[in-house]
Amino acid sequence: MAAIPSRFDRPVDAAPATGDNASQLKLVMFDSTLEAPSRRSPSGLPKPAPGFRRLEPTAALLDDLKAASEGLESASPEEIIAWAVDRYAPYLTMATAFGPEGCVILSMLAKIAPETYVFNLETGYQFEETLDLRDRIAEKYGIEVDLLQPELSVPEYEALHGGPLYRTNPNQCCFDRKITTLRRASEVMHAWMSGIRRDQSPDRAQAAVVGWDKKFGLVKISPLANWTKQDVWKRIADEEIPYNPLHDQGYPSIGCWPCTRAVADGESDERAGRWSGMKKTECGLHSINEQDGSGI
Ligand code: SF4
């Protein structure tokens, strides 16, 4: 039987987490009678051709990436994507959490290389609105983003740890439910694209347009590195790109529902609502300095 999607674990009427109620949210009983809509069943990672080998960060490769990155510094996102496709397809992938940047890149990919394997790290704790957006993207662009799941379902994972780890050890939770899944994907790829922008956070300010991602052993391409938040939303408005409705409800950055809250009007940091009240600011996918779960 197909795995039951863990989105059903979120109470249907649960309000998104806020600073006040995040620690009090309780999971509803797992209902094994619910069937996953087939279009959201994970399709699985593509199999590489015989002889596929992962890239090694040789001095020559690193020099090449540095030169490419400098050459693409003033290129448009579409030009950067086209370069990445030309250089790395079919071993080019994209990870998206369906943020506004990811949706914009998906709209570009639909015109440049819609066959690109794109996946979402389906932790089992995502908002229903996020998963609905996955379907809206599929309808508009024909790109079926794969929902890659960790080995353990949410009930299995929480049973193993005596409850949800996002309350007590979010670094471990992100590591188990995001990083390990991305590592699995990285084993059959040479390069991945992400929607990070340099102006999102001090950590992201260091992002190259093209660089070597030590954590995952992949070339990392950031087509929107030089775009601003305004650039992203202008494109969304101009092209009526689907986006997460939670952005209209005070959520500038959206991750898993237990670790995301709406931000107040005066909060300038667009990631202030992520892991609110904790030192944690990144899930670890895009942090540069941490090599293990410490910065996750
Ligand atoms: Fe777990 Fe929260 Fe990280 Fe999601 S964001 S994987 S719920 S700690």
Side-chain angles (χ1 to χ4, degrees):
M1 189 176 109
I4 304 299
S6 41
R7 68 193 175 87
F8 290 116
D9 302 339
R10 181 188 171 209
V12 173
D13 57 353
T18 68
D20 292 327
N21 71 6
S23 63
Q24 294 162 15
L25 286 171
K26 291 197 169 53
L27 298 180
V28 292
M29 290 295 291
F30 181 67
D31 184 350
S32 62
T33 63
L34 293 171
E35 284 290 344
S38 60
R39 63 183 321 203
R40 283 188 185 165
S41 298
S43 59
L45 288 162
K47 287 198 171 34
F52 169 86
R53 296 177 66 171
R54 300 194 64 187
L55 292 179
E56 293 292 333
T58 61
L61 176 64
L62 297 181
D63 284 349
D64 182 42
L65 297 181
K66 188 165 183 288
S69 191
E70 287 168 4
L72 290 166
E73 194 57 45
S74 57
S76 69
E78 288 91 341
E79 288 169 334
I80 296 168
I81 294 169
W83 175 88
V85 170
D86 184 53
R87 176 75 76 97
Y88 295 110
Y91 302 123
L92 170 70
T93 188
M94 176 188 168
T96 182
F98 300 105
E101 294 80 12
C103 294
V104 165
I105 295 178
L106 283 164
S107 75
M108 296 171 177
L109 261 185
K111 295 175 198 153
I112 299 167
E115 70 283 1
T116 304
Y117 175 77
V118 183
F119 65 95
N120 162 265
L121 297 170
E122 207 328 37
T123 60
Y125 293 117
Q126 294 191 102
F127 287 95
E128 186 65 24
E129 289 85 347
T130 304
L131 296 169
D132 285 345
L133 178 54
R134 180 259 177 215
D135 295 346
R136 290 162 58 210
I137 294 273
E139 277 161 25
K140 176 148 186 167
Y141 299 115
I143 297 178
E144 296 269 355
V145 175
D146 196 8
L147 297 173
L148 271 189
Q149 299 171 352
E151 306 253 324
L152 297 183
S153 68
V154 164
E156 289 168 338
Y157 187 68
E158 294 187 356
L160 181 69
H161 293 287
L165 270 192
Y166 56 73
R167 290 182 187 148
T168 55
N169 191 349
N171 284 348
Q172 187 66 42
C173 185
C174 277
F175 186 84
D176 294 340
R177 304 202 70 77
K178 291 184 179 177
I179 304 294
T180 55
T181 311
L182 182 49
R183 286 210 169 124
R184 265 196 291 134
S186 70
E187 284 166 11
V188 295
M189 293 290 164
H190 285 161
W192 71 301
M193 288 186 291
S194 84
I196 62 173
R197 303 189 331 264
R198 286 177 179 149
D199 69 349
Q200 279 172 310
S201 69
D203 205 31
R204 295 181 180 198
Q206 304 170 55
V209 175
V210 179
W212 180 252
D213 186 334
K214 279 192 280 191
K215 186 173 284 178
F216 297 107
L218 295 171
V219 175
K220 184 171 182 179
I221 298 127
S222 301
L224 302 181
N226 282 320
W227 267 28
T228 63
K229 183 177 172 182
Q230 287 70 29
D231 292 329
V232 171
W233 283 102
K234 180 173 187 315
R235 179 63 65 94
I236 287 174
D238 287 350
E239 298 193 3
E240 298 184 348
I241 297 169
Y243 66 92
N244 197 320
L246 290 173
H247 291 306
D248 296 331
Q249 297 167 39
Y251 294 78
S253 176
I254 299 165
C256 298
W257 60 263
C259 304
T260 305
R261 67 161 172 83
V263 302
D265 281 348
E267 288 181 289
S268 57
D269 179 356
E270 65 181 276
R271 290 178 64 80
R274 305 290 297 277
W275 301 284
S276 182
M278 302 182 185
K279 284 188 180 165
K280 185 173 169 65
T281 57
E282 292 275 357
C283 63
L285 301 183
H286 304 299
S287 52
I288 291 169
N289 296 324
E290 297 86 3
Q291 297 303 310
D292 50 26
S294 60
I296 296 168

